[in-house]
Amino acid sequence: MPSIVGPLKINSVDGGGTVNFGDAFYISPKSSSKTNAGAGAFNTGMMVQTNSLLSSSNPIDPDYKDQPIVANK
């Protein structure tokens, strides 16, 4: 379905990403990654207070593949 998009500004898309306007039948990822971090690891702001008494990250993944992207080149 057609749409009207007003003024738009994208400063940067660091590290890839998908920007889509209008209709899309099929959008496929070109790369994938996985990140493991503990509680409060990615908090950002001026004054962040994270109280995590005990935190554990399990980087072991029993899956063989999470997101296959072989045919998406």
Side-chain angles (χ1 to χ4, degrees):
M1 202 157 60
S3 63
I4 299 172
V5 178
L8 181 73
K9 180 181 179 183
I10 299 175
N11 289 331
S12 67
V13 181
D14 295 331
T18 302
V19 179
N20 180 36
F21 302 101
D23 300 337
F25 175 71
Y26 184 71
I27 298 176
S28 62
K30 305 299 180 205
S31 65
S32 66
S33 64
K34 188 169 191 174
T35 303
N36 294 310
F42 296 117
N43 290 343
T44 59
M46 292 293 291
M47 191 168 66
V48 176
Q49 181 178 359
T50 304
N51 299 319
S52 56
L53 182 62
L54 181 62
S55 175
S56 174
S57 296
N58 185 8
I60 300 170
D61 187 9
D63 298 337
Y64 175 65
K65 291 191 179 215
D66 289 327
Q67 185 173 3
I69 56 168
V70 174
N72 294 344
K73 300 292 181 191

